[in-house]
Each structure stands twice: as C-alpha cells, then as structure tokens.
C-alpha cells in the first residue's frame, strides 16, 4: 500500500489518472483554472511553473473511486473503512531523522517566496496554501490533532490562518490564555490517506495520526520537528514549522471557499514560521477550493463519523451521503431500514449532533438510492407531507462560511421521507418491469 505522495502519483500514473503539463503555467489563476477543468477526471502535474523551480500537483483524488483506491477498498466500502479506522485506531511510529525523506533538506530560515503557492480565485487576498495538514497538540494534555486550514501568505515567514471553532481553536485559546505561542507544523505533499484522516470528526483528544495508521494498516512513520515539539510525517514532501502567536491578529482573506462564496477578510491569528524541511526536489500540492478533491475530503470522513453516531441512535441506519449540491457538508441524506415509527427523526437528531455543519437532513427508506438526487427528490415528492414530516430547529450552531447563516448561527431542517409504518405496502411499492435490468437495447435495434 502507499505511504507517500510519490507512491500515490505512481498509482495514478499506472491507472492513467494523472496528466502532466510541461507548458509554462502561471501561479496566478492558471493552475487553479486548469485544475478546475480536470476536476473529477484526473490529477494534473505542472512541471513548469513560471518563476518557480518546484512542480505543483492538484486533484490527487477527485472521485470516491480514487479515494477508495488509495485506501485499498471497493468504492462502496470506503465510508465504512474510514468509520472502522476511527473505531479501531492504531499506533504510529517515530523513526530516526536519517531515515526520514522530509529531512533531506533542512533550513532554519523560511522564505515562502521560494514555494510555488498559487492564487486561486479572482478576489482572493493573495497566495494561499490549501493542502497543508496542520499538526498541533493540546498544550495541557499533549493530545495530538490534525486539521487542514487555509493559509494566507502574509510575508516571507508569516501565514494568516482561519481557525473555525473546533479542536485547534480550543488549543490556541488555552495557549493564548497563558500568553504562550502554540507550536504547529504544516505538512504539504502527503497522500490521500493522511488527508482523509486529518478530516476525521473525532472527539477532542483523539489523535488523527492513529486513524491514519489504521487506514494505512501499518504505523504511520513520523519524525520529530526541528524547532517544534511535534512529530511530523516523515514522508511528506514539505514540512513548515512554526508557532501560532498569542494576541496577534492580522487581516486574512478574502478567500474563495468550498460553498462557492468568498470567506471575508478579517483579523485572524498568525503563524510565524521557524523552519522548513523538504525532500530533495519536492513537489507542492494545492487543492483548488470547491473542487471535488476539496468537497470529498470533507464528505467521506464526515460520512464515516456520522454513520457511527447515527447507528448509535438508530441501529438499523444503513448509509449516509453528504451531497455535492449541499457543498458535501450542509445536506445529508440517510437511508434507514425503518422498523419503528419515529426512527427517521431520531436519525436526523443524531446527524445534526454529529456535525455542526449539517443543516438539512433527508431520511429515506432502503429502496431509495441516496447517491441519486432524482431518486431522493422522488422520495420527498411521494412520501413526505410537510405538516407531518417536517422538523425545524432555529438558531443552532452551523457553519460560518454559509452566507445565509448569522455568523454561524443556523437553522436546522429535517425531512422525513420514509413510508409511515403500517401503510398499505402496495401503495408505496416502486413500479418495476420484470427483466428490464438485463435487457440489452442495442441488441434489439436494427
Ligand atoms: N477548517 C478551518 O477551521 N479553517 C480552514 O481554513 C479550513 N480549510 C480547509 C481546507 C480544506 C481543503 C479541507 C479539506 C478542510 C478545511 N477545513 C478548515 C476543515 C478542517 O480541516 C476539518 O474540519 C478538520 O476535521 C478540523 O479538525 P479538528 O476538529 O480536529 O480541529
């Protein structure tokens, strides 16, 4: 199985799922524009980036099938595999610096100008690192954490960062209350497994490195940082080390985000970088915001975590899908094998509880394909009555990047599109033509 970005690029090459661009491309808009065109089809490797000696890759996994290939499971088992990894975490391993490719080049002064950091959207505040896995630790308990954050280049060794109210913000608040900086490291150029693990919706104190190790099916190899008290992925292309400064805020943004709107500019925390370590001839990875690479990274681990929580409440829940039209975050569809009246509503509550971003949940029966928006709408059209089956909760915590929210305060909508228990089964039986599935129309046409 893979253990680095390079391993993954080899797999993509073998499957014809990466194309190389040798023509010169601009960091401003051109890489993002081309990445967007290839979105959901194949990865792009830019070998000739104007003004930069380092190649850029984007679209590492733009389909569920590509993520499943990385994890080594069939596509329909992907969410289950992520969920299982979270349920049975494994130890990581600390290896010696001499064995760690990411330590081939070590520099204690950082000049971000040497990295090929793209500008993605028209109104972005500047170049952004979008595919950095940020490593941090709880300053009190020492528990580790991984998360991805948009990082605005504010100077040669300064990054502005958006920290939504989750685990990193918790650590930062604790450090800041003591007037201390918080050590962080940012790994750029890792494989889809580590990217997926970083997105796990795990309880506070649950180290995502252990979920990654479970997904790799072997201990993820880490190596101590040079200037920070953190272990970093030994096979990353690039690791930036630094610290989140206490009581410092600088303007970060705007930035074109996954809901296809700009996150506004405002004062945000700042990371001061203290070291950069890389492989020889590193490759830089950028995620073009709002592409399927970005959306699925959000959806797959969330679906895995959500399914666990939903099954805890409704054991006969079957599957959950965070739909692309709902930004792969806001709209969930849950299939249940309904046994008791009311279960659909319990499944909704569990979904809302498992992820603060979810604002609409549709619950359907097992004869509905939750990945097919037409089938889901059909269930709503024919099995749902608003007076009976609608749930609305006002003013819960949602997502600040949703422009319809009131700075993150968001209403929650539940739609029970399941057939009421005790209904006449014939009334809700889907029509079917026997043998249709196996008929080959082409064989009949003259
Ligand atoms: N979360 C943020 O708080 N700020 C961001 O700027 C941000 N950017 C992201 C960019 C990408 C490409 C992806 C895939 C996710 C991003 N996220 C961002 C989401 C977090 O990384 C994710 O919710 C993570 O699980 C949070 O981890 P935590 O709960 O352990 O803190």
């Amino acid at each position: 199985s893979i253990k680095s970005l390079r391993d993954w690029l080899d797999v993509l090459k073998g499957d014809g799922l990466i194309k190389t661009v040798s023509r010169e491309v601009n960091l401003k808009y051109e890489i993002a524009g081309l990445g967007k065109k290839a979105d959901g089809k194949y990865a792009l490797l830019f070998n000739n980036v104007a003004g930069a000696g380092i190649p850029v890759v984007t679209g590492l996994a733009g389909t569920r099938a590509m993520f499943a290939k990385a994890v080594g499971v069939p596509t329909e088992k992907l969410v289950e595999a992520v969920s299982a990894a979270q349920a049975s975490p494994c130890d990581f391993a600390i290896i010696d610096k001499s064995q760690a490719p990411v330590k081939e080049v070590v520099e204690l002064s950082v000049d971000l100008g040497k990295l090929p950091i793209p500008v993605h959207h028209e109104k972005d505040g500047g170049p952004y690192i979008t595919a950095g896995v940020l490593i941090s630790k709880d300053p009190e308990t020492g528990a580790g954490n991984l998360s991805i954050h948009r990082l605005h280049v504010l100077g040669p060794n300064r990054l502005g960062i958006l920290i939504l109210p989750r685990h990193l913000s918790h650590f930062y608040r604790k450090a800041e209350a003591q007037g201390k900086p918080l050590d962080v490291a940012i790994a750029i150029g890792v494989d889809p497994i580590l990217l997926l693990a970083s997105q796990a919706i795990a309880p506070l104190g649950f180290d995502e490195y252990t979920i990654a190790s479970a997904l790799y099916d072997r201990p993820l190899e880490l190596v101590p940082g040079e200037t920070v008290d953190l272990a970093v992925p030994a096979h990353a292309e690039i690791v930036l080390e630094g610290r989140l400064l206490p009581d410092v805020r600088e303007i970060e943004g705007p930035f074109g985000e996954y809901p296809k709107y700009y996150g506004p500019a405002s004062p945000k925390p700042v990371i001061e970088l203290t070291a950069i370590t890389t492989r020889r001839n590193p490759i830089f990875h950028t995620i073009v915001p709002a592409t399927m690479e970005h959306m699925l990274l959000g959806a797959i681990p969330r679906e895995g975590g959500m399914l666990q929580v939903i099954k805890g409440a409704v054991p006969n829940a079957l599957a959950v899908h965070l739909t692309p039209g709902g930004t792969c975050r806001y709209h969930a569809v849950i299939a249940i094998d309904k046994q008791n009246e009311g279960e659909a509503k319990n499944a909704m509550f569990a979904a809302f509880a498992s992820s603060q971003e979810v604002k609409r949940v549709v619950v359907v029966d097992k004869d509905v394909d939750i990945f097919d928006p037409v089938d889901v709408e059909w269930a709503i059209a024919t099995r749902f009555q608003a007076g009976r089956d609608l749930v609305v909760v006002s003013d819960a915590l949602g997502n600040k990047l949703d422009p319809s929210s009131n700075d993150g305060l968001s209403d929650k909508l539940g739609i029970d599109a399941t057939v009421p228990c005790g209904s006449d089964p014939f009334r809700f039986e889907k029509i079917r033509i026997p043998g249709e599935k196996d008929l080959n129309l082409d064989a009949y046409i003259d």
Side-chain angles (χ1 to χ4, degrees):
S1 71
I2 58 167
K3 66 174 182 182
S4 67
L5 173 64
R6 290 181 194 212
D7 288 350
W8 178 239
L9 295 184
D10 286 342
V11 172
L12 290 177
K13 271 179 209 144
D15 288 352
L17 287 174
I18 184 164
K19 312 258 183 210
T20 305
V21 177
S22 299
R23 204 173 121 171
E24 191 181 76
V25 290
N26 220 303
L27 278 173
K28 198 166 180 178
Y29 309 141
E30 201 169 8
I31 286 180
L34 293 166
K36 190 101 179 172
K37 294 230 169 198
D39 183 28
K41 299 199 261 290
Y42 42 77
L44 287 177
L45 176 65
F46 300 97
N47 278 329
N48 186 359
V49 180
I54 297 176
V56 175
V57 70
T58 192
L60 289 185
T63 62
R64 285 177 189 261
M66 287 164 91
F67 277 107
K69 173 99 184 196
V71 174
V73 295
T75 307
E76 63 279 8
K77 296 274 179 218
L78 177 60
V79 170
E80 225 172 279
V82 174
S83 180
Q86 197 163 334
S88 49
C90 296
D91 280 345
F92 47 80
I94 305 286
I95 65 167
D96 192 74
K97 195 175 153 176
S98 62
Q99 306 298 311
V102 75
K103 301 288 190 181
E104 283 167 2
V105 182
V106 175
E107 286 180 42
L108 295 184
S109 84
V110 182
D111 178 7
L112 290 171
K114 291 185 182 161
L115 292 180
I117 307 177
V119 180
H120 297 93
H121 285 103
E122 184 185 10
K123 300 205 167 149
D124 284 4
Y128 267 84
I129 297 171
T130 57
V133 173
L134 189 142
I135 301 118
S136 60
K137 271 203 306 202
D138 187 319
E140 274 171 15
T141 67
N145 192 67
L146 302 181
S147 46
I148 299 178
H149 299 264
R150 68 188 209 208
L151 299 164
H152 187 169
V153 177
L154 298 179
N157 67 345
R158 281 172 100 75
L159 293 166
I161 178 171
L162 170 70
I163 310 178
L164 293 172
R166 285 186 290 245
H167 299 161
L168 180 62
S169 71
H170 188 72
F171 302 167
Y172 180 51
R173 228 180 11 250
K174 278 190 190 175
E176 201 169 41
Q178 298 171 2
K180 290 188 181 148
L182 182 76
D183 278 2
V184 296
I186 298 149
I188 305 165
V190 302
D191 61 63
I193 295 185
L194 190 53
L195 291 167
L196 272 179
S198 79
Q199 297 303 295
I201 309 291
L204 187 66
F206 195 117
D207 191 335
E208 282 97 352
Y209 274 149
T210 64
I211 300 176
S213 298
L215 275 176
Y216 285 110
D217 215 9
R218 74 157 167 249
L220 169 65
E221 292 182 347
L222 306 176
V223 62
E226 301 295 310
T227 60
V228 290
D229 178 23
L230 293 166
V232 304
H235 298 273
E237 294 292 322
I238 299 166
V239 166
L240 299 170
E241 300 181 7
R243 46 191 181 226
L244 263 164
L245 303 174
D247 304 314
V248 174
R249 300 291 184 274
E250 289 176 22
I251 296 294
E252 182 274 351
F255 181 66
E257 273 285 359
Y258 69 85
K260 302 181 185 159
Y261 293 101
Y262 290 96
S266 66
K268 308 249 181 35
V270 171
I271 298 170
E272 185 181 75
L273 298 171
T274 49
I276 175 170
T277 80
T278 73
R279 284 178 172 244
R280 256 187 301 279
N281 305 318
I283 302 167
F284 187 88
H285 175 207
T286 197
I287 294 175
V288 181
T291 54
M292 286 314 287
E293 179 178 31
H294 188 174
M295 309 271 259
L296 289 173
L297 271 173
I300 295 162
R302 274 184 180 75
E303 288 167 353
M306 275 175 82
L307 190 58
Q308 264 189 22
V309 177
I310 297 166
K311 278 189 166 166
V314 179
N316 35 322
L318 300 173
V320 57
H321 179 214
L322 289 163
T323 61
T327 78
C328 281
R329 308 272 204 290
Y330 301 161
H331 288 181
V333 184
I334 303 169
I336 64 171
D337 181 10
K338 187 164 146 184
Q339 304 294 332
N340 300 287
E341 205 51 76
E343 278 174 344
K345 289 196 174 122
N346 290 39
M348 281 171 202
F349 299 146
F352 289 135
S354 80
S355 169
Q356 61 187 220
E357 286 115 337
V358 174
K359 63 186 285 202
R360 191 192 83 178
V361 177
V362 179
V363 186
V364 296
D365 294 298
K366 63 180 177 185
D367 62 341
V368 176
D369 178 359
I370 61 173
F371 289 92
D372 177 358
V374 174
D375 215 26
V376 173
E377 191 178 354
W378 168 83
I380 297 173
T382 61
R383 296 176 175 180
F384 162 79
Q385 283 296 321
R388 181 188 67 192
D389 299 319
L390 188 76
V391 177
V392 178
V393 176
S394 305
D395 289 343
L397 182 59
N399 186 264
K400 283 190 190 215
L401 293 174
D402 168 5
S404 73
S405 78
N406 178 8
D407 195 29
L409 208 60
S410 176
D411 297 350
K412 309 280 174 172
L413 166 66
I415 294 176
D416 177 357
T418 59
V419 171
C421 287
S423 311
D424 171 7
F426 185 67
R427 204 173 147 83
F428 289 101
E429 184 173 328
K430 243 185 189 175
I431 56 171
R432 193 175 86 87
I433 300 172
E436 179 198 347
K437 202 160 59 70
D438 301 320
L439 285 177
N440 178 6
L441 176 60
D442 287 339
Y444 285 76
I445 292 174
D446 295 338

